[in-house]
Structures are given as structure tokens and as C-alpha cells.
Amino acid sequence: AKLYGAFIYAETLADKKIILITNKFWKKNPLDSMLRDHIIDIDDSNNNFIRTLTHCDKDICLILHTDGGSIDVNDAMVKSILRFKLFHEIDTYVPYYAFSAGTELALTGKTIYMGKCAIMGNVDPQIPVEVPEHINTSYQADIIINEHHKATNLTLLDVCVIGNASKYLQDSMSGINNILVKNNYPDEAINKVINQMCKGKTTHNTPLDVVDLQNLGLNVVEEMPDYISRIMNELYVYIDKFNET
């Protein structure tokens, strides 16, 4: 398979393990077995990512290509990455886009490499809320907290929603702070990132490009190695063929 060959070629050039985290596109058919240590579902219910890190004895290039995923799974991935970084380095790569949980994973990298038109987003948690006209809609945690605090005659469900939103929001800010502290960012940069990405100053899907992220003080480089671009090119060919079967 050309995609597998692209991973092996990249690992040979970089002398690093190459892992791609993306949204699951292999729903009807299983992913080829030789790719399972290289391509990880961002909603990794089987903990393949943790297993891969556990058995990895070299630095990692972590490619993010995702519109986001589960808060709980993402937290476990971040925890594992921070533990892994006690022994090896991780750089992150965003060829095109990494939103929500994907952005948080990208922040774990010592250096974040982005394509010239690539974008990331905010990481404020999205809380599922049932309302009459939009069942199972998700809202930004800070909006839920602020709007419910203005209300009177709160129901028990309202109180639970506020409490849940508050916990997720605090966990999000604490998590980002922890990631950036471990990457040796100064307090000024950490505060800028948390204020922009965690506190709902803009919508959850507001795109942030290379310049936006650099202005926050993040170590972002507008550069994408050819071997990473080759993986992405082969990925799209593979997905097209995969979906034909």
C-alpha cells in the first residue's frame, strides 16, 4: 500500500515515529492492519494511541488532521503525551486543519508545524444540551454558565448543566495551562492562549491561522516537510479507494 510506504519513507528520513490522528473514516471496513500503529481515530475507544506510545522508543511526529472529538478521550491522549515527553520529544504537524480536541493535541508539540493555509481553533468545551427546537445541540460551556446565572427559578437539570459546564471549563483551562507550562511557555503567552481559546471570546469554530497563533506567543512554524505532505496526499487517495469498497 502506498500510504503505508509513505509512513515508512517518512520515518526513515525523520528517524522518528510518525502518527496521524484523524476522524474515523473506516466505518464500514476495518483499517488495514499495517496502518493501525500509524493512523489513530481521535475518538480512540480502543486506546490504540496509548498502546502505541507505550511501545515507542523514539521521538514522534504527530500529525493532526481532524475537526475534533470526545473531551474524555482527548484528555487521556494528552495525559499520555505529557508522560511520554518525559522520555522523548514530540513535534506536531497541522497540514490543513485541527479543530477543538485536535487543537489541544497540537499544542502538546514542542514545535507546531503548519501548512501555509492551515488553521486551528478554540478548545472551549462543548456541552450537549437538549432544547425543544434543537435536540442534542452543543453549546460553549461559558455561554451555558453565564446565561443560566442570569436566570431565575432554575430546575435541578439546569443546576446540573451549569455544574457540568463549570467543571469542563475549569478542566479545559487547567489542561491548557499544564500543556503550555510543560512546554516552557512564559506566563504572558499562557494567559493569551487561555483567554482566546478557552473562555469563549469567539465562537468555538473561529479559525486561527499561523499569524493568529504566533501572535498568541505559540511556537508555530509555517513549514511542512515533504514527507508529511506525501503522507497526506496518499491519505486522500487511500480514503477515496477505501470508500469505493
Side-chain angles (χ1 to χ4, degrees):
K2 289 186 177 180
L3 178 56
Y4 178 70
F7 276 108
I8 299 304
Y9 175 75
E11 289 184 339
T12 302
L13 284 183
D15 192 26
K16 297 178 180 180
K17 177 72 175 178
I18 311 290
I19 300 174
L20 167 67
I21 294 182
T22 189
N23 294 95
K24 189 173 184 177
F25 57 82
W26 54 95
K27 296 179 180 178
K28 294 183 179 179
N29 300 299
L31 191 67
D32 290 345
S33 58
M34 59 186 175
L35 290 172
R36 290 175 189 167
D37 285 341
H38 295 284
I39 300 178
I40 305 291
D41 175 17
I42 195 167
D43 288 324
D44 180 27
S45 58
N46 295 321
N47 295 316
N48 286 337
F49 182 68
I50 295 174
R51 177 180 56 80
T52 299
L53 287 188
T54 300
H55 297 288
C56 183
D57 60 357
K58 57 173 61 178
D59 295 346
I60 288 178
C61 297
L62 187 63
I63 308 170
L64 286 310
H65 184 61
T66 173
D67 54 16
S70 163
I71 294 174
D72 295 331
V73 173
N74 182 70
D75 286 347
M77 285 183 168
V78 168
K79 190 83 170 180
S80 297
I81 289 172
L82 296 181
R83 175 65 181 170
F84 180 84
K85 289 181 66 172
L86 295 175
F87 312 99
H88 300 283
E89 294 288 346
I90 291 183
D91 289 321
T92 51
Y93 296 79
V94 182
Y96 304 125
Y97 62 89
F99 287 112
S100 195
T103 293
E104 184 167 358
L105 289 170
L107 293 178
T108 64
K110 180 179 179 182
T111 302
I112 305 168
Y113 295 91
M114 295 181 68
K116 64 181 180 181
C117 298
I119 51 177
M120 298 202 298
N122 293 322
V123 297
D124 48 330
Q126 304 299 286
I127 309 300
V129 178
E130 291 192 13
V131 293
E133 64 274 19
H134 298 292
I135 303 301
N136 295 328
T137 298
S138 293
Y139 290 99
Q140 290 169 282
D142 69 297
I143 291 177
I144 293 174
I145 295 167
N146 292 334
E147 292 304 313
H148 276 77
H149 280 169
K150 297 175 186 177
T152 58
N153 300 321
L154 295 178
T155 66
L156 178 59
L157 178 60
D158 291 328
V159 173
C160 291
V161 168
I162 296 171
N164 198 35
S166 298
K167 288 176 64 177
Y168 274 120
L169 184 57
Q170 289 301 318
D171 286 350
S172 174
M173 292 189 292
S174 175
I176 296 301
N177 181 79
N178 191 37
I179 290 169
L180 299 181
V181 165
K182 290 184 181 298
N183 276 331
N184 298 315
Y185 280 101
D187 290 344
E188 181 181 2
I190 293 173
N191 290 332
K192 281 185 178 180
V193 172
I194 290 175
N195 284 333
Q196 167 60 49
M197 291 188 170
C198 301
K199 294 187 175 180
K201 289 184 175 296
T202 56
T203 63
H204 185 65
N205 293 322
T206 296
L208 302 170
D209 63 18
V210 171
V211 174
D212 295 325
L213 296 166
Q214 289 173 339
N215 287 339
L216 293 175
L218 291 170
N219 186 22
V220 174
V221 177
E222 186 182 314
E223 178 184 326
M224 194 56 51
D226 289 342
Y227 53 81
I228 299 293
S229 298
R230 178 177 175 179
I231 288 173
M232 297 308 298
N233 290 338
E234 293 297 342
L235 174 68
Y236 277 99
V237 173
Y238 181 83
I239 291 174
D240 287 343
K241 291 182 177 179
F242 197 91
N243 291 333
E244 288 175 0
T245 59

